[in-house]
C-alpha cells in the first residue's frame, strides 16, 4: 500500500517522497484555532474597557468619561495594526513565516497576559493608563504580524464550487473567541463581589491569553511547514511583497477593497462591545446576564457564518455581500426609527443582540474571501493583509468610542446613522468596482 493510500483514511497525506500534505479540513482547523486566539485577545480587552479600566485606571473621571477614555485606548490597536503588518512582512521576507508568526503570537499573547498584572491608578497614578496604552499598541502591532496566509491557502485548496464554504471557515474564530471571553467575564463578574472582581477576578481572562496563543502558534506552524505552503511560496502566491511596490501596483484596489467589508466591520463592535457599555452605564440590567445573552447571540452568529458559506456557493460571494449589506442598511434604518436597544426593554435588547449577531454572521462570513479575492496571485498575501487592516481601522476601530459618544449626547438613534454610513460604503464599493463580480464568484 502506498504512503498516500495508507494515510488517506486519517485525512493526512504524504506523497512518494514522504512530504506532508494536508486536507482542506486540516487547514481549516488550524485557521479557526488561530483566529479564535486573536479574537479572544481583542474581546477580552474590549470587555475590560467597559467593566474594569474605567474604575481601575481612570477613577478620577465620571463613569461615562472614563469609559470613553478606555475606548480611546481600545482604538489604538487598530491604528498600529497596519504598522505591524509592514514590520512583520519585512521579518517574513528575511527570516521566514515561522519566525514571523512565533514573534507575533508571543507578542500578542504576552501583551495581553501582561495586562493581567497592571497596577491601578491608586498605585502608580497616571502611569497606569500609559502602560495600558503601550500594551494596547503592542497588541495591534502583533495582530498585524499574525497574518499567516492560511486563509488564502485554504481558499486555494478548496474543492471547486465550495470556495464560499471554505472562505467562511476562518471567520468562525470571531464568535468562538467572543463566547470564550464573554463567558469568562460573565462568570467572574457574576460570582465575585465588585471589590474582588476589580482586585483580581478580571485578571484571569487576560492571563489565559498566553496559553491560548501558544496553542494557536503550534497549530499554525504545522500548516506553515506543509508541502502545499512551500509550493505556494515558491510560486509567489503567498510571498510577502514590499508594501511600496503593492501600493504602486494595486493602490486603488487596496483602498476600494477596504470599503467592501465596512458594513460588517461597523456592525462588529456595535453588537459586541458597545452594547455592554450602554447596559453598564445606562440600565439596571445585570452585565453578567447580558453577556450570556450575547454569548447566545454569538452562537446565532456562528450559524449565520456557516449559512453564508452555503449561500455564497449558490449565488456568488459578491451577491451575498450585496444582500447582507442591504440587510444591515435596513437594520440600521430600523434602529434610527426605533431607538437602538429599545431603551430599558429587556426583550428589545435581546432582540437587537440576536438579530445583530445574525446579520453580522451573514456579512462577516464572506469578508475574508472578498478581501483576498481582490488581488492577483502575486499581491494576494500582502494585499489581503493591508486591506483587512484598513477595513478594521475605518469600520471597527473607533466604533465603540463613536457610538458611545453620539448615543450619550444625542440619543441611540445616532448609532443607527453610524451603522448606515458603513452599509452605504459597502454597497457603493461593490457598485463601483464591477470587476469584483468575477473575482467573488
Amino acid at each position: 500500500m502506498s504512503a498516500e493510500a495508507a494515510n488517506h483514511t486519517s485525512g493526512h497525506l504524504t506523497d512518494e517522497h514522504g512530504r506532508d500534505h494536508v486536507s482542506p479540513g486540516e487547514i481549516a482547523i488550524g485557521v479557526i484555532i488561530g483566529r479564535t486566539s486573536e479574537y479572544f485577545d481583542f474581546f477580552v480587552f474590549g470587555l475590560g474597557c467597559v467593566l474594569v479600566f474605567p474604575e481601575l485606571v481612570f477613577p478620577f473621571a465620571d463613569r461615562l468619561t472614563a469609559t470613553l477614555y478606555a475606548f480611546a485606548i481600545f482604538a489604538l490597536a487598530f491604528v498600529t495594526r497596519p504598522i505591524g503588518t509592514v514590520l512583520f512582512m519585512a521579518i517574513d521576507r528575511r527570516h521566514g513565516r515561522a519566525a514571523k508568526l512565533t514573534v507575533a503570537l508571543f507578542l500578542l499573547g504576552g501583551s495581553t497576559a501582561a495586562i493581567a498584572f497592571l497596577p491601578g491608578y491608586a498605585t502608580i497614578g497616571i502611569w497606569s493608563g500609559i502602560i495600558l496604552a503601550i500594551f494596547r499598541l503592542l497588541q495591534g502591532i502583533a495582530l498585524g504580524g499574525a497574518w499567516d496566509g492560511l486563509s488564502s491557502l485554504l481558499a486555494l485548496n478548496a474543492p471547486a464550487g465550495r470556495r464560499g464554504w471554505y472562505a467562511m471557515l476562518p471567520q468562525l474564530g470571531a464568535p468562538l473567541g467572543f463566547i470564550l471571553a464573554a463567558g469568562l467575564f460573565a462568570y467572574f463578574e457574576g460570582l465575585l463581589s465588585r471589590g474582588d472582581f476589580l482586585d483580581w477576578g478580571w485578571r484571569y481572562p487576560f492571563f489565559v491569553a498566553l496559553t491560548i496563543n501558544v496553542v494557536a502558534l503550534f497549530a499554525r506552524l504545522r500548516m506553515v511547514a506543509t508541502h502545499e505552503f512551500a509550493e505556494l511560496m515558491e510560486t509567489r502566491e503567498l510571498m510577502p511583497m514590499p508594501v511600496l511596490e503593492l501600493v504602486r501596483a494595486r493602490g486603488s484596489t487596496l483602498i476600494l477593497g477596504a470599503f467592501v467589508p465596512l458594513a460588517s466591520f461597523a456592525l462588529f463592535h456595535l453588537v459586541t462591545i458597545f452594547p455592554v457599555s450602554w447596559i453598564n452605564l445606562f440600565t439596571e440590567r445585570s452585565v453578567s446576564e447580558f453577556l450570556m445573552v450575547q454569548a447566545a447571540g454569538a452562537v446565532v452568529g456562528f450559524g449565520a457564518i456557516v449559512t453564508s458559506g452555503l449561500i455564497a456557493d449558490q449565488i456568488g460571494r459578491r451577491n451575498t455581500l450585496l444582500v447582507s449589506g442591504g440587510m444591515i442598511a435596513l437594520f440600521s434604518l430600523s434602529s434610527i426609527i426605533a431607538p437602538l436597544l429599545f431603551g430599558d426593554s429587556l426583550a428589545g435588547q435581546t432582540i437587537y443582540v440576536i438579530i445583530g449577531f445574525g446579520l453580522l454572521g451573514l456579512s462577516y462570513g464572506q469578508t475574508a474571501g472578498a478581501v483576498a479575492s481582490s488581488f492577483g496571485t502575486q499581491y494576494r498575501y500582502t494585499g489581503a493583509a493591508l486591506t483587512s487592516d484598513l477595513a478594521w481601522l475605518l469600520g471597527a476601530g473607533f466604533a465603540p468610542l463613536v457610538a458611545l459618544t453620539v448615543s450619550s449626547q444625542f440619543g441611540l438613534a445616532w448609532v443607527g446613522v453610524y451603522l448606515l454610513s458603513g452599509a452605504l460604503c459597502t454597497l457603493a464599493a461593490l457598485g463601483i468596482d464591477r470587476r469584483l463580480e468575477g473575482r467573488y464568484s
Side-chain angles (χ1 to χ4, degrees), residues 128-325:
S128 180
I130 294 173
I131 293 172
L132 181 65
I134 291 172
F135 283 132
R136 185 58 176 169
L137 290 168
L138 291 176
Q139 278 187 319
I141 291 173
L143 189 62
W147 187 268
D148 49 26
L150 291 179
S151 296
S152 296
L153 178 65
L154 179 61
L156 293 168
N157 280 270
R162 300 296 303 280
R163 289 290 177 89
W165 174 263
Y166 282 92
M168 69 81 186
L169 290 174
Q171 311 303 74
L172 295 175
L176 292 175
F178 182 80
I179 290 169
L180 288 173
L184 283 172
F185 268 102
Y187 176 77
F188 285 104
E189 203 276 338
L191 179 68
L192 302 175
S193 67
R194 185 62 184 168
D196 285 341
F197 178 74
L198 286 176
D199 182 32
W200 61 270
W202 69 271
R203 301 178 188 274
Y204 184 78
F206 283 86
F207 191 71
V208 167
L210 184 59
T211 302
I212 294 179
N213 277 276
V214 170
V215 173
L217 173 62
F218 283 106
R220 289 176 168 188
L221 290 180
R222 179 177 179 274
M223 296 298 110
V224 171
T226 61
H227 177 56
E228 286 90 344
F229 205 98
E231 285 186 334
L232 290 173
M233 288 285 288
E234 291 173 2
T235 58
R236 303 176 67 85
E237 294 196 26
L238 290 180
M239 280 290 290
M241 301 299 298
V243 173
L244 290 180
E245 180 180 338
L246 168 69
V247 172
R248 284 194 295 265
R250 295 288 187 272
S252 59
T253 304
L254 182 69
I255 299 300
L256 188 61
F259 284 91
V260 170
L262 214 59
S264 180
F265 287 5
L267 181 59
F268 196 89
H269 286 143
L270 296 184
V271 297
T272 55
I273 304 303
F274 165 69
V276 184
S277 69
W278 183 267
I279 293 295
N280 187 51
L281 290 170
F282 301 114
T283 76
E284 299 298 324
R285 188 170 190 173
S286 165
V287 170
S288 59
E289 183 267 338
F290 184 72
L291 285 173
M292 296 314 296
V293 171
Q294 286 186 298
V299 173
V300 174
F302 185 99
I305 291 175
V306 173
T307 302
S308 76
L310 298 173
I311 295 174
D313 284 332
Q314 296 300 315
I315 67 173
R317 193 176 299 151
R318 180 178 183 274
N319 289 332
T320 303
L321 291 170
L322 281 170
V323 170
S324 61

Side-chain angles (χ1 to χ4, degrees), residues 265-411:
F265 287 5
L267 181 59
F268 196 89
H269 286 143
L270 296 184
V271 297
T272 55
I273 304 303
F274 165 69
V276 184
S277 69
W278 183 267
I279 293 295
N280 187 51
L281 290 170
F282 301 114
T283 76
E284 299 298 324
R285 188 170 190 173
S286 165
V287 170
S288 59
E289 183 267 338
F290 184 72
L291 285 173
M292 296 314 296
V293 171
Q294 286 186 298
V299 173
V300 174
F302 185 99
I305 291 175
V306 173
T307 302
S308 76
L310 298 173
I311 295 174
D313 284 332
Q314 296 300 315
I315 67 173
R317 193 176 299 151
R318 180 178 183 274
N319 289 332
T320 303
L321 291 170
L322 281 170
V323 170
S324 61
M327 294 174 69
I328 291 175
L330 292 175
F331 180 66
S332 63
L333 286 172
S334 68
S335 299
I336 295 171
I337 297 171
L340 196 63
L341 297 177
F342 301 93
D344 293 327
S345 168
L346 298 185
Q349 295 163 7
T350 301
I351 291 171
Y352 169 81
V353 167
I354 300 301
I355 294 177
F357 268 104
L359 292 177
L360 177 62
L362 285 175
S363 59
Y364 188 64
Q366 296 302 310
T367 57
V371 168
S373 304
S374 300
F375 295 89
T377 298
Q378 183 177 0
Y379 298 101
R380 177 180 286 116
Y381 174 65
T382 305
L386 279 177
T387 302
S388 180
D389 292 342
L390 292 176
W392 280 113
L393 176 62
L394 295 173
F398 294 92
L401 178 63
V402 173
L404 185 57
T405 299
V406 299
S407 62
S408 62
Q409 295 293 321
F410 307 109

Side-chain angles (χ1 to χ4, degrees), residues 11-143:
H12 189 80
L13 303 177
T14 57
D15 63 14
E16 65 273 13
H17 303 293
R19 295 176 299 192
D20 283 341
H21 289 269
V22 290
S23 67
E26 289 180 294
I27 300 171
I29 292 173
V31 173
I32 292 171
I33 292 173
R35 294 293 183 268
T36 299
S37 70
E38 294 173 9
Y39 286 112
F40 175 81
D41 285 24
F42 262 59
F43 283 130
V44 162
F45 192 96
L47 293 174
C49 287
V50 176
L51 303 177
V52 180
F53 303 143
E55 290 184 59
L56 183 74
V57 181
F58 306 110
F60 52 85
D62 62 83
R63 293 176 65 203
L64 172 60
T65 303
T67 304
L68 292 173
Y69 288 160
F71 279 163
I73 292 178
F74 176 81
L76 293 177
F78 297 90
V79 176
T80 57
R81 181 170 171 169
I83 298 173
T85 294
V86 173
L87 173 64
F88 278 94
M89 286 293 173
I91 294 175
D92 195 339
R93 291 194 299 273
R94 295 180 183 179
H95 304 289
R97 192 71 41 91
K100 168 196 171 184
L101 290 176
T102 301
V103 174
L105 288 178
F106 270 106
L107 180 61
L108 179 60
S111 299
T112 307
I115 295 172
F117 302 98
L118 180 71
Y121 182 88
T123 304
I124 59 174
I126 195 173
W127 281 102
S128 180
I130 294 173
I131 293 172
L132 181 65
I134 291 172
F135 283 132
R136 185 58 176 169
L137 290 168
L138 291 176
Q139 278 187 319
I141 291 173
L143 189 62

